[in-house]
Amino acid sequence: KISNDNYAQIYNLEGTSPIVNDTSTLESAIEFSGVKDDFYIDISGEVYEKMNVHNSDKYEYIYPNYSITKLYNLESNLLDNYEIISSGNQKKYSTNIYEFSQVNDVLVTSNKFLLNDSFETNFKTLFKNVNTKGQNSSTYKDQTQSEILTNFLYDVALPLKKTEERYTKYLTPKISLRHSPNTTKNIQTLDRKLNFDNIFSLNRIGTDDDIESGTSLTIGSEFLIKDKNDSDIFNFDIGTVFREQENKNLPTNNTLRNTQSDIVGSLTFNGTNNWSLDYDFSADNDLNTVNLHLLKNTFKVNNFVHTFEFYEENYALGENSYYSNSLTYEANKNNFVSFRTRRNNKTNLTEFYNLIYEY
């Protein structure tokens, strides 16, 4: 709870609180998670309250929200395992809008195979049954709908390794071919970012009740250097996506919808125990324009830790830009004093100064 609708935004709680990610929405929830062998279950009831809207439209209720997964390991020369996943929820929001969604997935994963004693290959096949119903909804129709969706993914990687006196170097070129004969719903307004962490994943558009349609080829490479203690020293990953046809139903802030996506990548350097550098980027396929920068630098001296972060997104990806500084003094394992500030480059204003004591 907050005392008024503007409190979380004024005090910029998403920059200082570990549980606040969005100052425009409050969340209350009760959740249960359980695991037994290869069986997983998650159930929750959730209430969301939006700030600065009419009281009648403030609240969104989700009850229940569930996910049940069963993993079956197969003793087969061809298949490694398959998963059966059932998930769903019903929600009411904006006074009179009702939506129901129930999704059943069967995901089949093959073993890894060696081609010519060098190339690692495997495939995944997803069968998705989506059942939906809405009332006054712009997402679902006012009648029960049921459809079957499929997605096929084939991965090829060439892991290379070179052992030297001080370091071990790994280079892994990768390609991934995927195809779905179905049509993606209109999800243009969703906020989805393409990065190297999700570019090779099966569900890189981040939706449970839809799939990425069409045929595409993802290419990339991972490069890693480890020292003699098996600690990561340097890591550089890069990738891009080629699509047979544009998919204009995909989110507008994601170049995955184009015939060639941005070139996305990440770089990590741990030069010493006291200094580390992380950099993520997204650049046009002609490399003339960088649409996203995320630079983070951490430096430690004795009990002091200084962190600098710079973030900027441009053009189709958005218009956010800021830099932040944080200086922390670790008196011991139980006591910390820190000073943080962040400046918004678009508005040319400092968003906050925070002096924090944690114990």
Side-chain angles (χ1 to χ4, degrees):
K1 291 186 176 181
I2 57 175
S3 56
N4 62 71
D5 283 4
N6 295 319
Y7 179 89
Q9 183 177 9
I10 291 174
Y11 291 96
N12 200 60
L13 294 186
E14 83 278 7
T16 60
S17 170
I19 63 172
V20 177
N21 297 316
D22 182 1
T23 55
S24 66
T25 306
L26 301 181
E27 176 187 2
S28 300
I30 181 170
E31 303 174 346
F32 171 80
S33 297
V35 179
K36 184 177 181 181
D37 299 327
D38 294 324
F39 180 80
Y40 308 83
I41 183 170
D42 295 281
I43 303 175
S44 67
E46 304 163 24
V47 179
Y48 295 90
E49 181 182 355
K50 295 182 179 180
M51 303 295 97
N52 296 305
V53 298
H54 294 295
N55 287 335
S56 60
D57 294 334
K58 274 181 176 289
Y59 296 96
E60 177 179 343
Y61 303 91
I62 304 178
Y63 56 93
N65 186 17
Y66 80 93
S67 175
I68 300 173
T69 302
K70 175 62 177 176
L71 176 65
Y72 295 89
N73 293 306
L74 303 174
E75 296 181 0
S76 167
N77 293 329
L78 177 62
L79 300 179
D80 180 38
N81 61 67
Y82 71 92
E83 294 179 69
I84 298 178
I85 307 166
S86 179
S87 62
N89 61 68
Q90 64 172 0
K91 62 176 69 174
K92 293 183 178 180
Y93 62 98
S94 297
T95 307
N96 63 347
I97 298 178
Y98 169 80
E99 294 177 352
F100 165 80
S101 173
Q102 199 266 333
V103 181
N104 303 302
D105 292 340
V106 177
L107 175 61
V108 181
T109 304
S110 76
N111 291 309
K112 288 186 177 181
F113 301 97
L114 281 178
L115 295 179
N116 298 325
D117 295 326
S118 299
F119 294 92
E120 288 185 352
T121 68
N122 76 305
F123 66 85
K124 294 180 181 180
T125 303
L126 175 66
F127 299 95
K128 182 183 290 287
N129 167 233
V130 180
N131 306 283
T132 60
K133 183 179 180 180
Q135 183 176 346
N136 302 315
S137 170
S138 60
T139 305
Y140 302 134
K141 294 183 178 180
D142 290 356
Q143 59 184 12
T144 301
Q145 284 191 301
S146 183
E147 56 184 336
I148 300 293
L149 308 175
T150 57
N151 208 351
F152 306 95
L153 184 69
Y154 181 69
D155 294 326
V156 180
L158 177 61
L160 303 172
K161 178 181 178 181
K162 182 180 181 181
T163 303
E164 299 178 348
E165 182 178 352
R166 298 179 57 189
Y167 304 107
T168 303
K169 300 178 180 179
Y170 302 85
L171 177 64
T172 308
K174 304 169 67 175
I175 63 172
S176 179
L177 178 66
R178 71 178 65 207
H179 174 73
S180 174
N182 306 107
T183 301
T184 304
K185 299 184 182 72
N186 188 340
I187 55 173
Q188 296 181 21
T189 58
L190 291 185
D191 182 13
R192 296 291 186 270
K193 294 293 193 300
L194 183 68
N195 52 54
F196 194 84
D197 289 336
N198 62 26
I199 194 171
F200 284 98
S201 64
L202 183 63
N203 184 18
R204 59 189 174 192
I205 61 173
T207 58
D208 294 327
D209 58 356
D210 206 351
I211 48 87
E212 177 189 333
S213 63
T215 302
S216 66
L217 177 69
T218 305
I219 63 172
S221 182
E222 300 176 2
F223 179 65
L224 174 64
I225 299 177
K226 290 178 174 285
D227 62 15
K228 288 299 183 181
N229 297 322
D230 204 36
S231 299
D232 293 353
I233 300 297
F234 179 81
N235 189 81
F236 179 66
D237 303 324
I238 191 168
T240 189
V241 180
F242 296 91
R243 183 175 298 281
E244 183 182 26
Q245 295 179 340
E246 289 182 328
N247 188 343
K248 293 302 185 183
N249 287 331
L250 293 178
T252 55
N253 68 341
N254 192 325
T255 57
L256 187 62
R257 68 205 308 262
N258 302 330
T259 53
Q260 183 182 350
S261 74
D262 274 4
I263 298 173
V264 298
S266 65
L267 181 150
T268 302
F269 178 66
N270 298 303
T272 65
N273 293 330
N274 299 324
W275 179 59
S276 64
L277 178 69
D278 298 280
Y279 177 60
D280 295 339
F281 66 89
S282 178
D284 280 348
N285 49 59
D286 57 8
L287 296 178
N288 287 332
T289 305
V290 180
N291 295 321
L292 183 144
H293 303 272
L294 175 56
L295 176 68
K296 185 175 182 180
N297 179 66
T298 303
F299 186 68
K300 300 179 181 179
V301 177
N302 298 324
N303 292 352
F304 290 92
V305 180
H306 177 260
T307 301
F308 171 81
E309 183 175 307
F310 172 74
Y311 180 84
E312 183 178 48
E313 57 187 27
N314 300 293
Y315 305 103
L317 300 189
E319 296 183 350
N320 294 319
S321 178
Y322 67 85
Y323 67 86
S324 64
N325 277 286
S326 173
L327 180 63
T328 301
Y329 174 71
E330 301 177 356
N332 52 50
K333 293 183 179 179
N334 300 317
N335 293 272
F336 305 86
V337 178
S338 61
F339 174 76
R340 302 186 60 195
T341 181
R342 189 170 82 179
R343 186 170 183 82
N344 189 316
N345 295 324
K346 295 295 183 180
T347 60
N348 201 30
L349 293 173
T350 300
E351 296 179 343
F352 62 85
Y353 298 97
N354 289 330
L355 180 63
I356 304 169
Y357 171 62
E358 300 175 78
Y359 62 95

